[in-house]
Amino acid sequence: MSAPRDEASEVRAEDSFDTAAVHAWLRTVVDGLDAEPVVRQFPGGASNLTYLLTYPDRELILRRPPVGKKAASAHDMRREYRVQKGLKPVYPYVPTVLGLCQDESVLGSDFYVMERIEGTILRNNLPEGMELGAGQARELSTALVDRLVDLHRVDPEAAGLTDLGKGSGYVARQVGGWSKRYTAARTENVPDFAAVMDWLAAHQPDDVATVVIHNDWRFDNVVLDDSLDVVGVLDWEMSTLGDPLMDLGGAVAYWIQADDDVVYQQARRQPTHLPGMLTRAELVDHYCARMGLSTANWAFYEAFGLFRLAVIMQQIYYRFHHGQTTNPRFKDFWMFVGYLEWRCREVIGGA
């Protein structure tokens, strides 16, 4: 089987940079780079920006914050670089990072460069020309869960990442933090989520463990080879040390299956609806069986994952509502936020 790789395109004018300056710096950390690279940009870019640097004999990836953003929180290039550098020896699916530049005179911000992992990234639907039978879909979805298990089994000390998080109390910090974010981003046309936030606060369990978590686990952050094996895991900007079931809850919120209603289907970002793909229940059972964890409190993690997704979408809508962005894709996000409040209530009601 073969499929088109995830393609880069022309660099957006507002995201351009001085190629010569970057090339000059890069030659100090990577041997054998002669002529300046051809630079193209990968789609997206609402968060950190990703570029393809094509040299005659190799392709590299450059990651930087959005233009005008300083290296802090979600845009901390040093942190993102460090996580991948530490994980690589113990978690082989991480890209090989080559160098971190903290001289802002080169590009205007911190940035880092890594090797490109060739392969296919699955998004809403399969790439043109790709076929996936039910058996293959089941194996692929199971493998995606297994790679998350592998990550959660990494020893943070072996990766040199014991200080990546804030210690125990991760669940409580997440419930409180995301509740504050929603309240700050609420507009008059969305629910107040008060009942949901109160329930999460009242039913939060203790952390089941403290492990390296990815915090954005989806097919579109995974690279597949022609045999449908996972060969790369991308976008480590939100990784930290935390509760593994919270990571799973965030992943399941994006896992839209074939029998979900039409509203949920409209938000699908990965082909989890295909025949043979694990259902959400099967995914959770498989993960917990492999990790030796109980599913008894799963309703909490499922509700939290849906709430967290609602907050993310509301934060985006807030920017549109207040004229901070004019992207028309965001104008109806408020309606889906209301829908997610209903889904949270359904989960809570069945707990």
Side-chain angles (χ1 to χ4, degrees), residues 76-131:
D76 189 341
M77 295 292 98
R78 285 166 284 187
R79 188 175 190 275
E80 190 173 326
Y81 174 87
R82 179 199 168 200
V83 166
Q84 292 172 97
K85 189 173 180 63
L87 279 176
K88 183 64 178 180
V90 291
Y91 190 70
Y93 308 102
V94 173
T96 299
V97 292
L98 300 174
L100 169 69
C101 180
Q102 300 180 72
D103 180 357
E104 293 193 5
S105 69
V106 176
L107 191 146
S109 66
D110 292 348
F111 68 93
Y112 71 90
V113 174
M114 60 187 176
E115 292 184 351
R116 183 182 189 182
I117 300 177
E118 284 284 356
T120 298
I121 297 175
L122 300 184
R123 302 195 185 278
N124 298 48
N125 300 299
L126 296 180
E128 185 178 351
M130 178 186 282
E131 295 182 359

Side-chain angles (χ1 to χ4, degrees), residues 11-280:
V11 177
R12 292 186 291 267
E14 65 269 26
D15 297 333
S16 62
F17 57 81
D18 185 342
T19 302
V22 169
H23 172 67
W25 171 82
L26 194 52
R27 289 186 66 190
T28 68
V29 296
V30 179
D31 293 332
L33 301 181
D34 295 323
E36 291 181 16
V38 175
V39 180
R40 295 175 71 79
Q41 185 175 13
F42 286 97
S47 187
N48 293 330
L49 306 179
T50 307
Y51 303 83
L52 175 65
L53 310 182
T54 301
Y55 285 92
D57 60 347
R58 66 192 305 182
E59 291 183 326
L60 304 177
I61 299 295
L62 184 150
R63 291 269 287 173
R64 67 177 292 193
V67 177
K69 295 286 186 181
K70 295 298 183 182
S73 64
H75 305 296
D76 189 341
M77 295 292 98
R78 285 166 284 187
R79 188 175 190 275
E80 190 173 326
Y81 174 87
R82 179 199 168 200
V83 166
Q84 292 172 97
K85 189 173 180 63
L87 279 176
K88 183 64 178 180
V90 291
Y91 190 70
Y93 308 102
V94 173
T96 299
V97 292
L98 300 174
L100 169 69
C101 180
Q102 300 180 72
D103 180 357
E104 293 193 5
S105 69
V106 176
L107 191 146
S109 66
D110 292 348
F111 68 93
Y112 71 90
V113 174
M114 60 187 176
E115 292 184 351
R116 183 182 189 182
I117 300 177
E118 284 284 356
T120 298
I121 297 175
L122 300 184
R123 302 195 185 278
N124 298 48
N125 300 299
L126 296 180
E128 185 178 351
M130 178 186 282
E131 295 182 359
L132 199 63
Q136 289 177 303
R138 188 166 191 85
E139 289 179 6
L140 178 57
S141 55
T142 302
L144 187 69
V145 181
D146 288 339
R147 299 297 78 77
L148 184 62
V149 170
D150 293 342
L151 174 64
H152 290 169
R153 287 179 171 173
V154 165
D155 179 359
E157 185 172 356
L161 298 174
T162 53
D163 61 343
L164 187 63
K166 297 180 179 179
S168 61
Y170 179 82
V171 173
R173 288 193 298 273
Q174 292 298 295
V175 171
W178 286 100
S179 296
K180 290 178 181 177
R181 292 182 195 107
Y182 184 78
T183 300
R186 188 189 172 202
T187 49
E188 68 277 1
N189 52 353
V190 296
D192 61 17
F193 271 84
V196 173
M197 292 188 289
D198 288 346
W199 187 89
L200 289 171
H203 291 82
Q204 56 186 301
D206 293 332
D207 299 354
V208 300
T210 299
V211 303
V212 179
I213 62 176
H214 184 272
N215 251 336
D216 200 16
W217 194 263
R218 303 191 308 263
F219 271 117
D220 55 352
N221 281 332
V222 165
V223 183
L224 306 174
D225 66 11
D226 285 350
S227 299
L228 293 181
D229 291 327
V230 175
V231 292
V233 178
L234 310 176
D235 288 352
W236 292 89
E237 61 192 272
M238 294 193 290
S239 61
T240 188
L241 295 186
D243 187 299
L245 289 179
M246 296 287 272
D247 204 8
L248 185 67
V252 168
Y254 288 100
W255 199 271
I256 297 169
Q257 57 196 45
D259 60 352
D260 282 324
D261 60 53
V262 66
V263 178
Y264 211 15
Q265 293 291 345
Q266 290 175 350
R268 183 173 54 77
R269 295 185 58 177
Q270 50 186 348
T272 49
H273 66 305
L274 296 176
M277 286 280 179
L278 294 175
T279 64
R280 286 187 293 273

Side-chain angles (χ1 to χ4, degrees), residues 316-332:
I316 295 171
Y317 175 73
Y318 179 92
R319 294 179 59 233
F320 178 87
H321 184 80
H322 290 282
Q324 297 169 9
T325 177
T326 59
N327 191 326
R329 293 191 300 117
F330 303 151
K331 69 181 180 66
D332 294 327

Side-chain angles (χ1 to χ4, degrees), residues 278-334:
L278 294 175
T279 64
R280 286 187 293 273
E282 290 172 334
L283 185 159
V284 172
D285 287 344
H286 179 78
Y287 172 90
C288 288
R290 288 215 56 205
M291 287 290 291
L293 296 173
S294 171
T295 60
N297 289 327
W298 178 248
F300 169 84
Y301 302 103
E302 183 175 9
F304 174 80
L306 291 166
F307 171 61
R308 177 177 177 265
L309 178 56
V311 179
I312 291 169
M313 298 197 73
Q314 179 59 25
Q315 288 176 318
I316 295 171
Y317 175 73
Y318 179 92
R319 294 179 59 233
F320 178 87
H321 184 80
H322 290 282
Q324 297 169 9
T325 177
T326 59
N327 191 326
R329 293 191 300 117
F330 303 151
K331 69 181 180 66
D332 294 327
F333 273 24
W334 67 274

